[in-house]
Amino acid sequence: MNSEEIIEKLKSAKGDKLKDTEVTFGDAIVHLEPGSLREVAEFLKSDPDLNFDYLSCISGVDYLDLEREPRFECVYEFHSMDKNHSIRLRVGVPEEEPTVPTVKDLWPAAIYPEREIYDMFGLTIEGHDEQKRLLMPEEWEGHPLRRDYDLTREKVAFSHNIDFKEELVKEKVPTRYKPNQV
Amino acid sequence: MSVAEEGLLERNKDTMTLNMGPQHPSTHGVFRVVLEMDGEMVTSSDPDIGYLHTGIEKTGESKLYAHCIPMTDRLDYLNPPGNNLAFCLSVEKLLQTEIPPRADYLRVIMCELTRVASHLLWLGTHALDIGAMTVFLYCWRERELILDLNEMISGVRMMTSFIRVGGVMKDATPEWIAGVKHVIDILPEKVDEYESLLTRNPIWMDRTVGAGAMTKEEAIRWSMSGPCLRASGVDFDFRKKRPYSRYQDFKFDVPVFTNGDVYDRYRIRVEEIRQSREILKQAIEKLPDGPYKVDDNKISLPDRDKLKTSMEALIHHFKLVSEGVKVPAGETYVPTEGPRGEVGFYIVSDGSSIPYRMKLRAPSFMAIPGMCAMMKGSYIADVVAIIGSVDIVMGEVDR
């Protein structure tokens, strides 16, 4: 199926659950609310014509700087191995209620990307039994890929500052390199 | 029938917890796994990653697109051109530019050379893990030739940053093409040599046949990709199914095996070296003439000699170096086939010359839960073989 047919098929079956659909650069893209993710995902997996059996990746995006509502977005990329087509689900997650349901039971490979979403963006994954940090240390504070989490750097001991321990503080990078400041 | 199905795990004896890594030499980096052992048998495994977390995705949000390319080299450090290509294809999709044929062919040649080098490194270290020392030395010998070619064309042996937005870094020289031809000529003989050491070797087969077997359904469920997926019987290769960079111009086969064990993963990678050689041969023969980057000074740097004569070229050069490429707002993802599987960058652009978000889809990262599922019910000695056969690179797992 090509992207338009996928969108048509999805619209005819679950039209009321979809917020918006688009075909950009030939990719089928569907916008969703977190509440309807489970139902749409189950349909995508079980429908024999669509048969999205392969989870490619889950990306989180924080749209704070672009002042877009809702603030967060979880982007799910699915392939079908035998039909050779793909779909992208963009699930907008509001800041007030930062939860998305898990898809771990449908695609077990989601276990790591979902933990990464929690680690990096602080979104709660509803139904994920192992919700803990993945890449950052357990005791880390904050969620690094949020846009309001500043880039920081730590002092490292060299021979010239061997007594650095008293100044072991994180410091802000002076300016973020933006084109309009050049 | 696997050990778990035979009910051998139901013995209810006291288990032992065994820590493996993060400094274990067979984990190829800093991968730690806590194994729950019942005698010699693994009953559960709990992976621990993040030791090599460098925050490249976060750093990328404050760098120009051109500055992100050297960082993508360092994600999967055995496949730098493949990562550059995945990044550039996503950016070029947003820019909607058409890449000249010569640039595409040079990209393909670099990617396939790196695929051969990556598989050679994998074969050498994997054999070393299992105890076959000689293969390692032979593989290093041929890999060295490819690293020398990298140095010849880009000045760097590993982190080439050769593929740039809008084309490649510079044109191929006749010496480099002769070097690639030399590699193409000697490769079949050398691959036969490795196979004569391993493929029918009874010790090798004892250690690998049946170890870490994964069915077709399991491989899809756990999102394995690349050689691990094809070793389990799924015929899926992005170079064939969704050709990018003119892969449709080349005739090559996608090897598919059905058992999905460590032995099949070995066979498939050896076969892929042969097929990469076929692609390299055709690409060098058909290498078209023409420009090696797009003729658009808003995207790629103007030629060096033009800077001395053309004011316009000088201005473009200055603007491009100081401000970078302005990428139209939007978001996109282009999957490509790396040596370890599906590599792609999900890029969100806000219309400036800095990516708003760049996210790597790393095949090794997605393979880790599946790899731990393979370990369950296997012997402790096979754990090393399983980790080796999946070919994880911690640089892209932790990012």
Side-chain angles (χ1 to χ4, degrees):
Chain A
M1 277 204 221
N2 63 28
S3 299
E4 285 83 10
E5 287 167 351
I6 293 170
I7 296 283
E8 276 311 305
K9 171 99 184 162
L10 195 59
K11 258 187 178 166
S12 62
K14 300 276 170 202
D16 53 328
K17 301 283 174 194
L18 314 177
K19 208 158 73 178
D20 195 10
T21 58
E22 55 176 303
V23 177
T24 312
F25 308 132
D27 302 338
I29 302 168
V30 176
H31 296 257
L32 289 175
E33 303 270 355
S36 49
L37 170 66
R38 288 282 319 176
E39 201 179 326
V40 174
E42 270 166 29
F43 176 72
L44 289 178
K45 175 121 198 251
S46 57
D47 188 83
D49 288 340
L50 296 173
N51 193 14
F52 285 105
D53 49 1
Y54 188 92
L55 170 77
S56 170
C57 72
I58 308 178
S59 330
V61 189
D62 178 2
Y63 281 111
L64 180 72
D65 291 1
L66 298 187
E67 292 172 354
R68 199 183 290 179
E69 279 299 322
R71 178 178 165 185
F72 297 103
E73 198 167 77
C74 281
V75 185
Y76 297 74
E77 188 85 28
F78 295 112
H79 303 320
S80 170
M81 285 286 113
D82 54 341
K83 302 268 192 280
N84 187 21
H85 53 217
S86 297
I87 194 169
R88 191 178 304 145
L89 305 185
R90 295 176 62 177
V91 182
V93 186
E95 194 180 358
E96 301 78 45
E97 202 201 343
T99 50
V100 266
T102 182
V103 292
K104 186 164 79 82
D105 49 333
L106 299 167
W107 294 274
I111 176 166
Y112 264 31
E114 282 183 347
R115 263 176 76 183
E116 194 196 353
I117 294 279
Y118 165 72
D119 190 0
M120 292 297 165
F121 292 93
L123 306 185
T124 317
I125 311 294
E126 217 176 333
H128 197 294
D129 48 3
E130 211 184 1
Q131 186 152 231
K132 55 184 185 189
R133 287 193 181 272
L134 182 66
L135 297 174
M136 305 304 284
E138 281 291 314
E139 63 280 2
W140 195 266
E141 279 173 26
H143 300 282
L145 278 179
R146 287 189 173 201
R147 291 297 284 208
D148 49 6
Y149 188 96
D150 286 304
L151 271 175
T152 53
R153 57 181 168 210
E154 280 179 60
K155 284 217 164 167
V156 180
F158 292 106
S159 53
H160 67 271
N161 61 346
I162 195 79
D163 53 342
F164 77 107
K165 279 211 168 62
E166 286 139 39
E167 11 169 355
L168 180 68
V169 282
K170 283 178 203 161
E171 55 183 45
K172 265 193 182 178
V173 177
T175 48
R176 284 188 77 154
Y177 185 60
K178 292 224 164 158
N180 51 15
Q181 291 166 350
V182 174
Chain B
M1 189 185 272
S2 75
V3 180
E5 282 164 354
E6 281 170 351
L8 290 178
L9 299 178
E10 310 299 322
R11 284 179 297 173
N12 251 345
K13 282 182 187 162
D14 287 339
T15 55
M16 183 179 79
T17 309
L18 185 72
N19 177 56
M20 185 169 167
Q23 303 96 343
H24 195 282
S26 80
T27 56
H28 300 271
V30 277
F31 173 64
R32 174 171 172 246
V33 60
V34 180
L35 299 167
E36 198 72 28
M37 305 290 304
D38 181 4
E40 283 276 291
M41 209 165 284
V42 179
T43 54
S44 74
S45 56
D46 184 16
D48 185 8
I49 61 173
Y51 290 94
L52 210 59
H53 180 59
T54 44
I56 282 180
E57 287 179 5
K58 180 79 176 174
T59 318
E61 291 173 9
S62 61
K63 297 237 182 275
L64 298 179
Y65 284 95
H67 298 167
C68 289
I69 289 178
M71 291 200 302
T72 63
D73 283 335
R74 279 138 185 97
L75 287 162
D76 179 353
Y77 43 76
L78 299 181
N79 178 30
N83 290 342
N84 298 163
L85 179 63
F87 183 79
C88 292
L89 284 176
S90 285
V91 176
E92 283 155 10
K93 198 169 177 182
L94 287 170
L95 285 165
Q96 291 285 296
T97 44
E98 187 70 27
I99 303 302
R102 190 179 175 85
D104 268 342
Y105 273 60
L106 287 174
R107 286 174 169 193
V108 167
I109 294 171
M110 278 308 272
C111 284
E112 293 304 319
L113 277 176
T114 316
R115 190 185 310 275
V116 173
S118 168
H119 283 352
L120 285 176
L121 184 139
W122 169 82
L123 180 60
T125 52
H126 181 51
L128 192 66
D129 287 345
I130 297 185
M133 178 92 193
T134 324
V135 190
F136 176 75
L137 302 170
Y138 286 177
C139 289
W140 238 243
R141 188 184 60 192
E142 273 74 64
R143 182 170 176 263
E144 203 60 31
L145 290 176
I146 295 173
L147 294 188
D148 286 348
L149 286 175
N150 282 350
E151 191 176 4
M152 204 188 277
I153 197 163
S154 70
V156 195
R157 279 160 60 80
M158 283 178 74
M159 307 300 163
T160 53
S161 302
F162 182 68
I163 296 170
R164 304 286 171 85
V165 175
V168 293
M169 177 181 148
K170 62 179 201 180
D171 207 352
T173 57
E175 296 82 33
W176 184 75
I177 291 176
V180 178
K181 280 183 178 157
H182 175 63
V183 171
I184 294 169
D185 287 340
I186 62 161
L187 211 51
E189 188 191 325
K190 303 292 180 191
V191 177
D192 289 345
E193 198 173 82
Y194 316 138
E195 282 224 281
S196 71
L197 286 166
L198 294 175
T199 305
R200 294 277 161 239
N201 181 337
I203 306 172
W204 179 260
M205 288 180 81
D206 272 357
R207 286 298 306 275
T208 54
V209 174
M214 200 170 219
T215 61
K216 189 176 175 178
E217 290 73 30
E218 273 179 335
I220 294 175
R221 258 160 45 88
W222 286 110
S223 287
M224 307 299 284
S225 54
C228 295
L229 189 66
R230 293 191 286 275
S232 293
V234 186
D235 179 12
F236 198 88
D237 187 321
F238 280 104
R239 291 175 296 170
K240 269 270 192 249
K241 296 274 181 181
R242 293 176 214 175
Y244 54 92
S245 283
R246 292 170 217 263
Y247 265 107
Q248 64 272 31
D249 293 3
F250 309 113
K251 279 201 186 88
F252 63 102
D253 293 332
V254 178
V256 178
F257 285 76
T258 48
N259 292 336
D261 54 5
V262 176
Y263 185 65
D264 274 7
R265 278 176 225 133
Y266 152 72
R267 293 287 303 277
I268 218 151
R269 287 198 176 93
V270 171
E271 207 49 55
E272 278 194 12
I273 296 179
R274 291 209 175 92
Q275 295 304 327
S276 287
R277 185 237 173 216
E278 290 300 315
I279 298 175
L280 280 171
K281 193 166 168 234
Q282 294 167 39
I284 284 283
E285 269 169 12
K286 293 198 279 187
L287 187 64
D289 290 330
Y292 61 93
K293 59 187 177 188
V294 288
D295 188 23
D296 180 354
N297 287 341
K298 296 265 189 289
I299 294 171
S300 65
L301 290 173
D303 286 333
R304 188 80 205 158
D305 50 339
K306 273 195 195 157
L307 292 187
K308 291 167 188 150
T309 53
S310 159
M311 191 65 200
E312 200 186 355
L314 191 67
I315 294 170
H316 273 127
H317 190 280
F318 178 77
K319 292 279 275 184
L320 206 52
V321 170
S322 59
E323 285 182 13
V325 192
K326 292 263 192 304
V327 177
E331 43 90 48
T332 192
Y333 174 80
V334 185
T336 65
E337 189 74 29
R340 266 152 286 280
E342 181 189 342
V343 188
F345 277 89
Y346 180 72
I347 291 184
V348 181
S349 171
D350 56 352
S352 73
S353 50
I354 293 171
Y356 187 79
R357 169 98 168 96
M358 62 176 241
K359 148 95 188 170
L360 170 71
R361 191 274 180 205
S364 306
F365 174 74
M366 296 299 284
I368 283 193
M371 186 175 84
C372 290
M374 281 179 213
M375 286 177 195
K376 197 174 176 184
S378 69
Y379 289 105
I380 177 88
D382 289 343
V383 169
V384 172
I386 290 169
I387 294 177
S389 75
V390 177
D391 191 15
I392 50 170
V393 167
M394 294 315 285
E396 66 172 3
V397 173
D398 297 339
R399 287 159 296 171

